[in-house]
Amino acid sequence: MTLVYVDNVHKAFGDLEVLKGINLSVAQGEVVAIIGRSGSGKSTLLRCLNQLEKHDSGEITIADKQLDAASMSPKELSENVGMVFQSFNLFPHKTVGENVCLAPLVVRGEEKAEVEKVAREVLEKVGLSDKYDAYPAQLSGGQQQRVAIARALAMRPKVMLCDEVTSALDPELVGEVLRVLEALAAEGMTLILVTHEMSFARDVADRVVFMHQGRIHEEGAPSELFSNPQTPELKQFISAVL
Amino acid sequence: MIEFTFWDILRNLLLATRWTIVLSLIAFVGGATVGLLLTFMRLSSNRWLQRLTSLYVDLFQGTPLLMQLFLIFFGAAAMGHPISAWLAASIALTLFTSAFLCDIWRGCLEAVAKGQWHAARVLGMNYFQTMRHVILPQALRLSIPPTVGFSVQVIKGTALASIIGFVELTKAGTMLNNATFEPFTIFALVALLYFALCYPLSCYARYLEKKLYDAGLR
């Protein structure tokens, strides 16, 4: 079943055309890794999927509902799409538990006891159940990013977007975050990740999408794409990053 | 002629200090109230409200407090509604303080990282929910040190009220000098009393700033 459907999406910032007609469909439970150079439009595409950027033309459909500002409120969007950022963006004045509970309480108006139970579950899932009362500043980067993942999970989204979630981390902290994502993928969560972790893309993704100059240049199963790139641009990119 | 001992001088100055403190409190409470209103006007999406607020802030930041005092005190009299030095000083200091606090607080709100807005929006929060639960609490913490720091400026600003005849610390010093001709003693005492009011506030602002830094919010 197709969960995310992107049809001929264009996006420009002033004269700079960042997305030049993107077509992509992601099935439920699929893990899609988007790779490419900086400036190729991969982060913009991700941000269009949750309307942090409004696309200029084309269609984006998530769970059979069309995305545009008029038809989907942030609240409704959050029922479908969760997002984890490169810079974590935890709320520094709230504890880990409060970070996770805030949106379910405020946006959904759910029962406090129930929300706290869910918060403990998702924190358990990312291996941080003992940090419930800690503040973000007391955690390492890897732990903060895992809290951010737990916070997104607490809203029970249908698809999770991950925007270079390990790029701000020290190398020794990357593994713990990737393991959490791997576990999510194994549980059947639909993931769309923009990533520079090629080995992760190769091992965990069902499909790798290579973006180049605002277009999807090449896509396919990671085993094929990495071992047998069809275009010179992808060949060059792979030899540069591997 | 009455003889003034040192203790007479000090006692009179201390009594006048009360009015400096009261005027400072009025200016600060009034300024904070108007300043808060202005901050939200400036944040509103209404272009006209934004412009009006900017104009107000620029006007009061771009003219000397003394001129504002004169304009209000003498202006009211010229228009046939003479007002007391008390009222004129309270109004002028309130307007002056509000303009600066508005600017300080707007800066604090804008200093909260953009990523906080994005994170809240992605979690489904609307503008007011984001403001209330995410942005305002952080901006409030950021705003405490500069706000306390600015209160020092307000205290020193009240000295200007002496010029329109309001008897606070500075005016009391001038009057005592006229009677005793001991300017050095008197104005040294006046300065010391201002320092005694302002220095603890400066220290407190510095302490708050350090606390904020330690909390990892900056």
Side-chain angles (χ1 to χ4, degrees):
Chain A
M1 191 188 106
T2 303
L3 186 59
V4 178
Y5 179 68
V6 179
D7 183 30
N8 198 23
V9 161
H10 288 256
K11 171 75 188 174
F13 296 107
D15 289 338
L16 185 70
E17 213 182 350
V18 182
L19 300 180
K20 300 171 186 168
I22 300 287
N23 298 299
L24 180 71
S25 74
V26 177
Q28 184 157 15
E30 199 178 8
V31 177
V32 174
I34 305 176
I35 61 172
R37 281 178 221 286
S38 354
S40 58
K42 46 195 199 312
S43 282
T44 306
L45 172 59
L46 216 58
R47 292 163 69 84
C48 282
L49 290 181
N50 63 15
Q51 296 293 285
L52 281 179
E53 302 288 354
K54 312 252 179 284
H55 52 290
D56 299 333
S57 65
E59 252 177 48
I60 299 176
T61 313
I62 290 177
D64 295 325
K65 291 200 97 173
Q66 198 169 327
L67 269 202
D68 57 65
S71 70
M72 227 190 241
S73 65
K75 181 181 172 189
E76 204 177 338
L77 195 57
S78 72
E79 282 161 20
N80 295 308
V81 190
M83 184 163 190
V84 183
F85 298 89
Q86 180 177 354
S87 51
F88 327 141
N89 297 347
L90 293 180
F91 306 133
H93 59 301
K94 295 197 175 290
T95 63
V96 165
E98 289 167 344
N99 262 278
V100 177
C101 292
L102 183 64
L105 287 173
V106 169
V107 177
R108 301 248 173 97
E110 290 173 10
E111 196 85 23
K112 189 155 188 252
E114 180 59 26
V115 169
E116 281 173 358
K117 194 171 140 258
V118 171
R120 289 190 192 278
E121 280 168 19
V122 289
L123 283 169
E124 175 88 57
K125 198 176 275 188
V126 300
L128 289 172
S129 43
D130 56 327
K131 299 291 184 191
Y132 194 88
D133 293 313
Y135 280 91
Q138 299 168 313
L139 305 181
S140 75
Q143 290 172 326
Q144 289 190 47
Q145 192 60 295
R146 286 188 281 153
V147 173
I149 293 171
R151 183 173 71 173
L153 284 176
M155 293 296 275
R156 295 179 291 273
K158 298 191 175 85
V159 52
M160 283 265 275
L161 311 177
C162 301
D163 191 4
E164 299 190 27
V165 292
T166 57
S167 297
L169 296 175
D170 291 336
E172 76 270 21
L173 302 176
V174 168
E176 60 187 75
V177 173
L178 293 184
R179 273 194 296 281
V180 167
L181 292 178
E182 209 174 327
L184 281 184
E187 273 179 29
M189 171 63 84
T190 311
L191 291 171
I192 304 179
L193 324 102
V194 166
T195 185
H196 291 298
E197 298 291 331
M198 292 305 143
S199 55
F200 180 75
R202 189 165 47 191
D203 298 341
V204 179
D206 299 310
R207 182 152 50 108
V208 174
V209 169
F210 172 62
M211 282 188 68
H212 184 68
Q213 294 181 350
R215 290 195 173 84
I216 292 181
H217 207 68
E218 207 172 324
E219 62 181 309
S223 52
E224 267 170 52
L225 202 85
F226 283 115
S227 57
N228 190 18
Q230 299 297 308
T231 58
E233 287 81 7
L234 180 57
K235 257 179 211 152
Q236 206 185 11
F237 179 76
I238 287 173
S239 66
V241 294
L242 283 186
Chain B
M1 191 177 148
I2 313 165
E3 279 297 309
F4 280 89
T5 66
F6 179 78
W7 294 112
D8 287 331
I9 292 171
L10 188 61
R11 194 174 55 89
N12 277 300
L13 287 178
L14 279 171
L15 287 173
T17 306
R18 285 180 310 177
W19 302 118
T20 290
I21 294 173
V22 171
L23 188 58
S24 300
L25 284 175
I26 290 174
F28 199 77
V29 172
T33 312
V34 180
L36 199 64
L37 203 74
L38 287 169
T39 309
F40 282 105
M41 279 167 68
R42 194 137 174 191
L43 285 177
S44 86
S45 50
N46 185 320
R47 269 266 174 88
W48 277 103
L49 276 183
Q50 284 177 14
R51 271 189 211 154
L52 202 70
T53 319
S54 295
L55 185 72
Y56 177 96
V57 171
D58 288 343
L59 206 68
F60 283 97
Q61 286 193 345
T63 52
L65 176 55
L66 187 58
M67 294 307 126
Q68 296 162 22
L69 260 174
F70 280 171
L71 284 174
I72 288 166
F73 186 59
F74 296 121
M79 283 188 285
H81 299 286
I83 53 175
S84 67
W86 247 118
L87 189 58
S90 301
I91 294 173
L93 279 162
T94 294
L95 298 179
F96 171 82
T97 307
S98 68
F100 276 89
L101 286 180
C102 164
D103 220 26
I104 289 172
W105 292 343
R106 181 184 55 92
C108 293
L109 282 165
E110 285 172 359
V112 177
K114 264 271 171 294
Q116 297 286 305
W117 282 99
H118 293 161
R121 157 61 184 62
V122 163
L123 287 167
M125 285 185 234
N126 62 30
Y127 177 86
F128 291 103
Q129 291 165 340
T130 307
M131 256 307 179
R132 168 154 174 237
H133 297 284
V134 178
I135 306 299
L136 276 180
Q138 293 184 62
L140 190 71
R141 285 198 203 182
L142 287 173
S143 72
I144 290 170
T147 304
V148 173
F150 180 71
S151 65
V152 169
Q153 303 299 324
V154 175
I155 292 175
K156 291 191 291 180
T158 59
L160 287 173
S162 64
I163 296 178
I164 55 170
F166 178 72
V167 185
E168 38 64 75
L169 183 51
T170 304
K171 182 71 180 174
T174 319
M175 287 158 74
L176 283 166
N177 180 44
N178 290 341
T180 61
F181 304 111
E182 287 182 68
F184 185 74
T185 315
I186 288 168
F187 289 115
L189 281 173
V190 169
L192 263 177
L193 285 172
Y194 275 115
F195 188 73
L197 289 179
C198 294
Y199 183 65
L201 279 174
S202 297
C203 289
Y204 188 51
R206 214 170 307 145
Y207 163 76
L208 289 171
E209 200 152 352
K210 188 183 173 311
K211 218 170 101 178
L212 203 68
Y213 188 83
D214 292 344
L217 271 171
R218 290 185 65 181

